[in-house]
């Protein structure tokens, strides 16, 4: 096993009802970087009575992590089914108010509540399956007149925060998605090849394999291509050589190939029969929000049919992880020597020190 | 020399698949009736000559003598021909310890011909009784029980009931020792260990600092560390030391009554945040849980064999360390801490080609 990118599993379809019974929801999280928090994003799965709601930044209580009930910055919004990106969350709730400045690692609470009139919605703040990979983001609910309670704290969270530089940053354990589903496809489908398009992070990076949570119910190939669609490596998963559950976590080892930093690569699943395999995916409402996912904005779905041209979907992430070799090419040592050590040989040594 | 930025962090350590294994009752043991033989089908992790098989023993009840063999596959099951084998006495298997077989060869002796494999070649290691097991006899290798259950491509346990084999969605934690002395895990996901141990640590215990002593094979910026299982009962620090015991970074956490801080439950990790501390390739570091009150915390490790430590990430350079009252460190190469390190950047030769 080498270095692992990100998270093994996307969010499931859990939800939290916000109505007259439970009136507030909060995420308590650590700021992923230093800067000014600008907006928040989250997903609703139902908006039965969409009264005006309020999103606010609050300090956590010192010993409980729960919101301290002091609204430091806020913004109102109208809930609707799907992804909501708030306006600027500021000291006075307007675009001209002051943003919240944070330092990397500082704990902040994002609180969702009714502004003045209680309605009825379903927030999808977390998954339904324990995942044990969200150690620093907590979910809390509060009933009317009650205390804050930890809510499904073990589950993966589904929200995102945007900084005033426009970036959406990776929050520990959060996988923001506006929708999710599963591709069921086979050799006769359109598309018949689906996978992950990504950039190699540096020259010499070696992709060891792919980890996917999928329905591996038929025979298929796992293929790695470069940006010219030259096949670099592949392995075959043979149906019947083992039994797998409907959504098993599977690790596919690939022959090791050194990649070139900054270049596009694709790793895909290619069914070889008319039997379906299933590959779950998550959507985001804009490519920039993939900045909050492991792998970042250059890591998204790619697919094609009949070995034709690729179609990239910049707002979709298939449920795939990349496993990289930990054998990182050692940096070239800097050469230091005194002028006395130099032996002039024409212009070679001079050229070596020209600015580039 | 530039740093390559790794969006969302890259992780390295001993825990993959979202959570560590937990000790639990086995349902997949070699027994008298429904599992008269068990096997692990795998793809050879590298080309070479395989000498021995290494695995943890998670269950050993009324064990009788056993044979291990390498077999080719038919439809993904062992073909029944013991190409190379080794017989072992019942006394060779002890629960919660790592078992290292004798050399498997064509005649079952050290001098016999061993198995030569190509990288990725599929074959099975089969475990069967050679003695006469009683009704309560059970022998189990570590792995295919409890959680998590991610699987590796074509690497799985099979069970033989006397008539046919059945494939399981489970991956035993087996390693292979090659003739050149190297040890390789058969799964890139699981590693050979015998038991999960979670010692209690407080400011009053001996030791009061426990953690991982490590040397990286690369230079990177440490942004986070996760230590399993993160049960905390009091105040604690997660401290990063260099080889000279200079504190490079400290992350403080606590548990105050019923309000858990920084940790969700006993299966979730303690997550320590660091401000992108540069860790140099090959330098010695220690990352430890340091109890600062009498409240009890836990940080667990897998029981391993020093011979098989190289099958883990870190290649024998990650292992347990502990000390008491700021004294000298005691390093233990038979313990693999349950941890992950999260890196935000790696030092490389070239970011873009």
């Amino acid at each position: 096993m080498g270095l692992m990118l990100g998270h093994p599993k996307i969010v499931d379809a859990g939800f939290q009802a916000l109505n007259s019974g439970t009136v507030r929801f909060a995420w308590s999280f650590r700021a992923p970087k230093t800067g000014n928090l600008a907006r928040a994003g989250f997903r609703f799965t139902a908006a039965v009575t969409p009264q005006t709601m309020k999103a606010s930044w609050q300090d956590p209580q010192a010993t409980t992590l729960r919101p301290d009930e002091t609204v430091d910055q806020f913004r109102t919004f109208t809930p609707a089914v799907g992804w909501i990106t708030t306006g600027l969350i500021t000291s006075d709730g307007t675009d001209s108010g002051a943003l919240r400045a944070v330092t990397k690692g500082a704990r902040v609470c994002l609180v969702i509540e009714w502004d003045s009139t209680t309605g009825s919605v379903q927030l999808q703040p977390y998954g339904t399956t324990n995942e044990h990979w969200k150690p620093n983001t907590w979910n809390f609910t509060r009933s009317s007149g009650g205390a804050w309670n930890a809510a499904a704290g073990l589950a993966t969270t589904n929200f995102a925060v945007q900084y005033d530089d426009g970036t959406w940053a990776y929050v520990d354990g959060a996988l923001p998605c506006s929708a999710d589903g599963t591709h069921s496809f086979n050799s006769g489908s359109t598309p018949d090849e689906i996978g992950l398009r990504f950039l190699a992070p540096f020259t010499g990076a070696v992709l060891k394999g792919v980890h996917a949570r999928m329905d591996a119910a038929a025979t298929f190939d796992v293929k790695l291509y470069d940006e010219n669609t030259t096949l670099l490596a592949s392995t075959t998963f043979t149906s019947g050589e083992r039994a797998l559950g409907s959504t098993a976590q599977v690790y596919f080892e690939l022959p090791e190939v050194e990649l070139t930093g900054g270049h596009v690569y694709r790793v895909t699943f290619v069914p070889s029969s008319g039997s379906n395999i299933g590959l779950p995916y998550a959507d985001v409402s804009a490519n920039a929000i993939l900045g909050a996912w492991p792998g970042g904005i250059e890591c998204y779905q790619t697919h094609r049919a009949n070995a034709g041209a690729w179609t990239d979907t910049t707002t979709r992430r298939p449920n795939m992880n990349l496993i990289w070799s930990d054998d990182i090419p050692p940096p070239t040592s800097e050469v230091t020597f005194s002028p006395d050590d130099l032996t002039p040989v024409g212009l070679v040594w001079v050229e070596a020190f020209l600015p580039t | 020399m530039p740093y390559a930025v790794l969006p969302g962090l890259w992780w390295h350590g001993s825990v993959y698949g979202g959570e560590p294994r937990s000790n639990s009752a086995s349902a997949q043991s070699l027994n008298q009736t429904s599992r008269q033989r068990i096997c692990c089908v795998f793809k050879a992790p590298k080309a070479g000559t395989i000498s021995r098989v290494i695995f943890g023993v998670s269950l050993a009840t009324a064990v009788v003598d056993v044979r291990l063999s390498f077999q080719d596959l038919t439809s993904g099951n062992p073909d029944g021909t013991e190409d190379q084998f080794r017989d072992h006495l019942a006394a060779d298997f002890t629960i919660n310890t790592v078992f290292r077989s004798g050399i498997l060869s064509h005649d079952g002796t050290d001098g016999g011909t061993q198995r030569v494999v190509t990288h990725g070649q599929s074959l099975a290691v089969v475990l069967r009784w050679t003695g006469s097991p009683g009704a309560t006899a059970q022998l189990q290798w570590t792995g295919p029980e409890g959680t998590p259950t991610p699987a590796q491509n074509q690497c799985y346990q099979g069970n033989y009931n006397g008539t046919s084999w059945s494939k399981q969605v489970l991956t035993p934690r087996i390693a292979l020792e090659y003739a050149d002395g190297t040890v390789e895990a058969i799964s890139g996901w699981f590693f050979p260990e015998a038991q999960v141990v979670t010692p209690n640590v407080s400011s009053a215990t001996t030791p009061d600092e426990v953690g991982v002593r490590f040397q990286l094979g690369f230079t990177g910026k440490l942004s986070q560390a996760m230590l399993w299982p993160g049960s905390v009962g009091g105040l604690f620090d997660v401290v990063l030391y260099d080889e000279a015991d200079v504190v490079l970074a400290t992350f403080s956490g606590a548990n105050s009554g019923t309000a858990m801080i920084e940790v969700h439950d006993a299966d979730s990790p303690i997550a320590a945040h660091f401000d992108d501390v540069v860790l140099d390739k090959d330098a010695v570091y220690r990352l430890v849980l340091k109890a600062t009150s009498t409240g009890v915390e836990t940080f667990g490790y897998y029981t391993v064999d020093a011979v098989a430590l190289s099958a883990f990430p870190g290649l024998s350079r990650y292992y347990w360390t502990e000390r008491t009252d700021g004294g000298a460190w005691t390093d233990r190469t038979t313990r693999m801490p349950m941890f992950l390190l999260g890196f935000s950047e790696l030092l490389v030769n070239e970011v873009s080609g």
Side-chain angles (χ1 to χ4, degrees), chain A residues 1 3-10 131 133 170 175 195-196 198 207-214 222 249-254 267 269 279-280 293-295 299 317-324, chain B residues 7-11 16-18 189:
Chain A
M1 178 57 63
L3 286 147
M4 177 172 65
L5 164 66
H7 198 283
K9 188 166 91 50
I10 64 172
E131 185 49 37
W133 187 275
Y170 171 73
L175 295 177
L196 189 68
F198 62 96
L207 187 67
K208 287 178 70 76
V210 181
H211 172 218
R213 181 172 178 269
M214 63 184 299
V222 184
Q249 295 190 53
V250 192
Y251 171 58
F252 304 96
E253 185 182 71
L254 286 166
V267 60
F269 295 131
L279 180 62
W293 279 69
C299 198
R317 277 287 293 270
N319 195 353
M320 301 166 66
N321 271 337
L322 303 177
I323 311 297
W324 298 90
Chain B
L9 308 183
W10 281 17
W11 299 92
Y16 292 91
W189 211 253

Side-chain angles (χ1 to χ4, degrees), chain B residues 111-126:
Chain B
T113 304
Q114 299 175 42
R115 182 82 179 201
V116 177
V117 294
T118 57
H119 182 205
Q121 180 180 341
S122 291
L123 71 159
V125 55
V126 181

Side-chain angles (χ1 to χ4, degrees), chain A residues 146-163:
Chain A
W148 286 102
N149 294 307
L154 290 175
T156 311
T157 52
N158 183 8
F159 75 104
V161 295
Q162 186 192 41
Y163 282 70

Side-chain angles (χ1 to χ4, degrees), chain A residues 29-35 37 102-106 108 161-163 168-172 292, chain B residues 223 273 276:
Chain A
F29 64 99
R30 288 185 174 278
K33 67 176 185 178
T34 297
L37 296 179
V102 293
T103 56
K104 180 178 185 289
V108 183
V161 295
Q162 186 192 41
Y163 282 70
W168 296 79
Y170 171 73
V171 174
D172 193 17
Chain B
S223 183
H273 279 253
D276 297 329

Side-chain angles (χ1 to χ4, degrees), chain A residues 1 30 136 240-241 249 326 332, chain B residues 12 151 156 167 188 262 349:
Chain A
M1 178 57 63
R30 288 185 174 278
N136 267 292
E241 286 197 6
Q249 295 190 53
D326 53 11
T332 306
Chain B
H12 202 257
Y156 52 91
K167 302 171 181 114
E262 310 302 346
N349 272 328

